[in-house]
């Protein structure tokens, strides 16, 4: 029988062995019946980094990410392959993460499932917070969602729950995927379960109808400004992401370190994240493109051809740029993935809900009929009306409908004040003018 001294000596020898060797350990934990798989890589990592709650406290003091406490995340960047060419998207993790990161996804719709899939492909334990026990049973049992793309399997590291405390209490990062118009009520219900300081990555887009606020304003209004936020946008259909089709997006945050760490965490050879600090530009692009897509869909529904549709999309991007400049966005952001890129995908892609909504409008269906026929959310419907109200409240000047004719026309059609055919006639009979004005002098005056 081993003596206490021999046992202590063996433990000490083992600890010394660990300190001098590169060890990878895999282990599991169980929280409220949900099993999470973790991987630990010991090289040069302080033991205080092992806890996700400890990491959260260190990473987000005063709502920012101080460089001096970012040892673990710096290792993520250093240990990931950064090879890339213009012909290949490559940012694949080559080694396990240096501490047990855990992701919580709020919202089990199409895009919540897509981002959970991205995390799951990296082997990151991911919990989706959903409303239905039926969905929980399906995801945890068969690794499929019963409604959204039920033919596609979710990675094994993904679990679902209806309990906010189970999903959120030890999350290292939280992804918010609840539609814009439902965000405020949802956050009010779960905010007491959100760990203090844990960063939130919002993948929702739009403008709230009641407050006329973008997602960053809603999040800060409900949760405060003492935690870091980031916002993801770009041409990214949820099904294609889940299928592993090459996709590129942009993550914007006022804290560029947070944007970079999230980009490194999520990126692989099928999903590439670029970074930005232009939060207004990314938010405006993500919201306005859905309204333009409704206009493009109406053009298709009316059978107007490629010339008309291309004109609507191009002029719509001009209105997006105009709005962005007023709110301080960079023109390069509007011309990038979250602006023009997302607009092209949404207006011309067959998977676009907003384009499909516009198509049915163009074919003569009413707004009420279309809404009653689907369970999916076309964010551009509520955003279009809120957007016009925002423009009227912020901009000064005469005949704002001449500065934003497409945005105003879509809102008018959705409110039943005019028809798609009349809206097109109004656009084609606008007063003659230069294609573009000098935007350096434009300030809404």
């Amino acid at each position: 029988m081993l003596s206490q001294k021999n046992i202590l000596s063996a433990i000490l020898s083992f600890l010394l062995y660990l300190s001098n060797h590169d060890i990878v350990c895999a282990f599991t934990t169980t929280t409220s019946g949900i099993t999470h798989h973790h991987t630990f890589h010991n090289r040069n990592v302080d033991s205080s980094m092992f806890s996700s709650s400890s990491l959260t406290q260190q990473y987000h003091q005063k709502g920012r990410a101080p460089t001096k406490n970012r040892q673990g995340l710096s290792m993520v960047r250093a240990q990931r392959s950064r090879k890339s060419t213009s012909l290949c998207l490559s940012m694949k993790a080559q080694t396990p993460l240096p501490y047990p990161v855990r992701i919580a996804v709020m919202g089990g719709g199409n895009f919540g499932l897509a981002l959970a899939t991205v995390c799951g492909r990296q082997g990151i334990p991911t919990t989706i917070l959903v409303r239905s026990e039926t969905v929980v049973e399906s995801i945890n049992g068969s690794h499929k969602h019963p409604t959204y793309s039920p033919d596609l399997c979710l990675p094994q590291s993904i679990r679902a729950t209806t309990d906010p405390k189970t999903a959120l209490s030890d999350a290292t990062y939280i992804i918010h995927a609840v539609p814009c118009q439902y965000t405020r009520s949802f956050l009010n219900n779960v905010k007491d379960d959100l760990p203090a300081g844990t960063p939130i990555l919002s993948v929702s887009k739009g403008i709230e109808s009641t407050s006329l606020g973008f997602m960053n304003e809603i999040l800060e209004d409900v949760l405060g400004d003492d935690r870091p936020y980031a916002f993801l946008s770009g041409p990214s259909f949820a099904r294609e992401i889940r299928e592993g089709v090459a996709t590129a997006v942009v993550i914007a945050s006022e804290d560029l370190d947070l944007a970079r760490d999230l980009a490194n965490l999520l990126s692989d050879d099928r999903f590439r994240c670029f970074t930005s600090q232009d939060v207004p530009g990314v938010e405006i692009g993500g919201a306005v493109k859905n309204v333009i897509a409704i206009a493009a869909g109406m053009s298709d529904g009316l059978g107007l051809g490629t010339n008309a549709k291309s004109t609507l999309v191009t002029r719509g991007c001009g209105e997006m740029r105009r709005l962005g400049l007023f709110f301080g966005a960079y023109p390069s952001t509007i011309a990038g993935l979250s602006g023009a890129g997302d607009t092209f995908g949404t207006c011309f892609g067959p998977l676009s809900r907003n384009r499909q909504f516009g198509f049915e409008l163009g074919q003569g269906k009413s707004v009420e009929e279309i809404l009653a026929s689907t369970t999916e959310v076309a964010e551009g419907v509520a955003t279009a009306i809120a957007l016009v109200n925002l423009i009227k409240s912020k901009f000064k000047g005469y005949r704002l409908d001449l500065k934003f004719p497409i945005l105003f026309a879509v809102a008018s059609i959705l409110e039943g004040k005019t028809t798609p055919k009349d809206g097109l006639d109004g656009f084609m009979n606008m007063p003659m003018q230069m294609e573009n004005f000098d935007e350096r002098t434009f300030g809404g005056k």
Side-chain angles (χ1 to χ4, degrees):
M1 184 175 179
L2 291 174
S3 67
Q4 184 178 15
K5 180 178 179 181
N6 289 336
I7 293 173
L8 290 174
S9 177
I11 293 174
L12 179 59
S13 297
F14 180 66
L15 291 175
L16 289 172
Y17 175 84
L18 288 179
S19 67
N20 289 290
H21 292 78
D22 186 19
I23 303 297
V24 176
C25 302
F27 61 96
T28 62
T29 60
T30 301
T31 305
S32 300
I34 295 180
T35 300
H36 304 294
H37 303 277
H38 306 281
T39 305
F40 164 61
H41 191 193
N42 78 313
R43 176 178 289 176
N44 298 326
V45 182
D46 190 306
S47 61
S48 66
M49 302 298 292
F50 298 170
S51 165
S52 61
S53 59
S54 173
L55 170 69
T56 297
Q57 293 172 359
Q58 294 184 36
Y59 185 80
H60 307 294
Q61 294 175 359
K62 299 181 181 179
R64 278 191 59 82
T67 304
K68 62 182 179 182
N69 286 327
R70 304 177 63 77
Q71 180 182 0
L73 291 169
S74 297
M75 286 186 64
V76 177
R77 290 197 291 269
Q79 293 177 3
R80 288 181 180 269
S81 171
R82 288 178 175 266
K83 296 179 181 179
S84 63
T85 70
S86 59
L87 299 178
C88 177
L89 303 179
S90 178
M91 199 170 182
K92 186 174 182 179
Q94 300 295 330
T95 59
L97 295 170
Y99 55 84
V101 171
R102 197 176 81 73
I103 303 293
V105 179
M106 300 191 298
N110 273 316
F111 213 75
L113 294 171
L115 264 293
T117 298
V118 170
C119 298
R121 285 202 305 248
Q122 309 279 22
I124 302 171
T126 303
T127 303
I128 307 175
L129 179 60
V130 299
R131 294 179 296 174
S132 168
E133 286 293 344
T134 302
V135 173
V136 170
E137 293 172 4
S138 180
I139 291 177
N140 294 346
S142 64
H143 302 288
K144 294 182 178 181
H145 194 285
T147 304
Y148 301 124
S149 299
D151 57 315
L152 299 179
C153 287
L154 294 163
Q156 296 286 322
S157 60
I158 294 175
R159 295 292 182 269
T161 181
T162 58
D163 180 21
K165 188 175 295 294
T166 298
L168 304 172
S169 61
D170 63 342
T172 316
Y173 298 100
I174 296 172
I175 296 174
H176 177 84
V178 177
C180 177
Q181 305 305 325
Y182 304 99
T183 287
R184 186 177 296 274
S185 61
F186 176 87
L187 290 178
N188 278 322
N189 289 332
V190 303
K191 63 181 181 181
D192 292 338
D193 297 309
L194 292 170
T198 300
I200 294 179
L201 171 64
S202 172
V203 299
S204 305
K205 304 166 185 177
I207 301 174
E208 190 178 34
S209 298
T210 52
S211 69
L212 305 182
F214 290 93
M215 284 301 304
N216 65 315
E217 297 169 304
I218 302 170
L219 289 170
E220 289 193 4
D221 190 29
V222 178
L223 303 180
D225 58 1
D226 57 347
R227 73 171 71 238
Y229 300 99
F231 304 87
L232 181 149
S233 192
S236 48
F237 288 120
R239 184 176 178 88
E240 291 189 2
I241 293 174
R242 292 185 63 187
E243 289 175 339
V245 176
T247 300
V249 297
V250 60
I251 296 176
S253 177
E254 293 179 0
D255 185 340
L256 190 55
D257 283 335
L258 173 61
R260 287 169 175 161
D261 287 328
L262 287 169
N264 284 335
L265 192 69
L266 299 178
S267 293
D268 59 18
D269 55 1
R270 291 169 284 179
F271 191 79
R272 177 65 182 265
C273 301
F274 293 87
T275 59
S276 171
Q277 286 184 291
D278 186 7
V279 173
V282 168
E283 289 259 72
I284 288 169
V288 177
K289 60 95 180 181
N290 287 326
V291 183
I292 301 172
I294 293 176
M298 285 191 281
S299 174
D300 288 338
L302 290 168
L304 298 181
T306 304
N307 291 350
K309 185 175 179 179
S310 299
T311 299
L312 282 171
V313 173
T314 304
R315 297 299 296 174
C317 286
E319 295 180 27
M320 178 193 293
R321 184 175 64 250
R322 213 167 286 179
L323 188 70
L325 287 172
F326 179 84
F327 283 100
Y330 297 129
S332 57
T333 303
I334 302 301
L337 288 170
S338 61
D342 207 357
T343 302
F344 296 158
T346 309
C347 291
F348 293 95
L351 299 176
S352 169
R353 299 187 300 271
N354 292 284
R355 191 205 68 84
Q356 181 62 31
F357 193 99
F359 178 81
E360 295 184 32
L361 277 176
Q363 294 214 313
K365 290 186 179 181
S366 68
V367 172
E368 293 73 23
E369 288 177 314
I370 303 170
L371 291 175
S373 67
T374 180
T375 59
E376 295 186 306
V377 178
E379 298 93 338
V381 177
T383 296
I385 298 170
L387 188 55
V388 167
N389 290 332
L390 176 67
I391 291 171
K392 288 178 178 178
S393 69
K394 297 292 186 181
F395 285 70
K396 300 177 182 178
Y398 178 67
R399 293 297 304 272
L400 293 174
D401 59 317
L402 297 180
K403 293 184 174 71
F404 302 95
I406 296 174
L407 300 183
F408 271 70
V410 171
S412 181
I413 293 167
L414 292 173
E415 291 177 313
K417 296 177 181 178
T418 187
T419 67
K421 179 66 168 61
D422 291 339
L424 174 69
D425 290 342
F427 177 73
M428 293 302 294
N429 288 286
M430 286 180 59
M432 297 294 180
Q433 59 182 349
M434 294 181 64
E435 181 186 13
N436 292 303
F437 56 88
D438 186 353
E439 290 171 327
R440 291 172 297 179
T441 65
F442 183 72
K445 300 180 181 179

